[in-house]
Amino acid sequence: RRACRIGDRVVRIRDGRASETGRPDEPGEEMLVVDRRGWVRLPAEARRDAGLGEVVRLDVVDGGAVLRDAAPDPDSLFRRPPVSPASDRAAAATVDHSPRTPPEQLIVARGNGVVRRFGEREVLRGVDVAFARGTLHVVHGRSGSGKSTLLRILVGLDDPDVGSVELIGTHLAGLDREHRARLRRDAVGMVLQEIHLDETATLLDNLDLARAVRHLPADRDADRRLLDRFGLAELADRQARHCSGGERQRAAIARAIVGSPSLVVLDEPTSQLDDASAERTIDALRAVAAAGTAVVVASHDPALVDAAGRRLDLDRPSSADRDSPRCTRWCS
C-alpha cells in the first residue's frame, strides 16, 4: 500500500478486474474503471455512505448516471437478511475508541511497567497495557517502536527486562517453556510476521489440525464457514503451498481463531492483502472481537487503526512526558 504513494499512477485490481485508477498526489480524485462490457465496481465505503444495497436503479440525469437504492420485490433472489438489534449492539461495541480502563473481569492479558532492551537500545519503556475480551485492540507506531516485541512478550515468547506480564490470569515470570506453550495452546491464537502452515495439507486440514492440537472435536462444516468468512471457501481443499501469500496469510488468521480462543494476537495481519481482502479480514476480526475474544493487532494499516475499539500508540508523547524519546498511551 505504501508503494501507491510514490507511483505516478495507481491502478487497483479487484476480483480480477481493473477497478479504479488515479494519481497518488490527487487524493479523493480516484476514478472508477468501466470495462468494455460495462462492469464497474463501487467501493464499499461509497455504497455504505450512499445507503446502496444489493439492488440499485440507474437513472440518466443531465448527461450523468445516478444510482439509487432499489428495494427488491418480495420474490427477488436478492433479499437482504434482517439485522438484529443484538448484532447492532455488537458492531457498535467494536468501534468505541475508549481510553478508559476495561473492567477487571474482562482482562485476559496485562503488562505492568514493561521494559525491554536490546543492547544499549531501549525498545519498550515502562509500558502499562491491559487487553480485554470483546475488543479489537490495535498497537500502532513507527517501525522499530516495539510493536512486535510487545506482542512476543505478551504471549511469553520473550521476557521483559523489567516489569511483569499476566496472561489468562497467570503470571508468566517463572513459568518454563513447556508451561507457557501449554497456556498458549489452551487460550491463545496467534500469527506473527512469519506465516507457518502445514504446506502439504489443505487449508481445511490446517484448521482441523488446530482443533486437534487444542483437543477440540473436528468440525469441518464450521471450518468451511470460517474459511468462507475470509474469502477462502473455494480454496478450502487446496494445499497451502499452492496458495498465494495473501491467501496463506488469511488462512493462518482463520486457523488462529479456530475454537474461539480467549486471546488472538496478530502481527501485521493485512501486510500481504489487497484492499478488498483487507476489508474482509478487518470485518472478520471485528466480528471475532464482538463475539467475546480479545483481539490484539500490531499494524501500520490505517484501515485497521480506524477499526480499533482501543488503540495503543507507541510513539505519541504525552503532555507529562514530552522530553522522553519513548512513551506509550492509549488514545481515541
Side-chain angles (χ1 to χ4, degrees), residues 225-246:
R225 290 193 297 271
L226 183 53
L227 288 172
D228 183 50
R229 183 184 295 182
F230 287 90
L232 297 170
E234 296 181 356
L235 305 178
D237 298 311
R238 178 179 296 182
Q239 288 182 329
R241 62 179 176 173
H242 296 311
C243 295
S244 70

Side-chain angles (χ1 to χ4, degrees), residues 94-97 135-138 303-311:
T94 66
V95 295
D96 176 19
H97 293 260
T135 303
L136 171 59
H137 309 76
V138 172
L304 245 175
V305 174
D306 289 343
R310 299 187 84 215
R311 299 199 308 265

Side-chain angles (χ1 to χ4, degrees), residues 205-273:
D205 287 340
N206 268 277
L207 270 62
D208 189 56
L209 178 61
R211 289 185 180 276
V213 168
R214 294 171 183 165
H215 304 298
L216 299 172
D219 192 336
R220 307 284 276 191
D221 290 339
D223 290 345
R224 286 187 182 277
R225 290 193 297 271
L226 183 53
L227 288 172
D228 183 50
R229 183 184 295 182
F230 287 90
L232 297 170
E234 296 181 356
L235 305 178
D237 298 311
R238 178 179 296 182
Q239 288 182 329
R241 62 179 176 173
H242 296 311
C243 295
S244 70
E247 290 163 352
R248 294 173 70 257
Q249 186 172 39
R250 282 179 282 155
I253 297 170
R255 187 180 65 176
I257 65 179
V258 161
S260 301
S262 299
L263 174 68
V264 170
V265 175
L266 307 171
D267 198 345
E268 299 289 355
T270 59
S271 62
Q272 301 186 51
L273 306 184

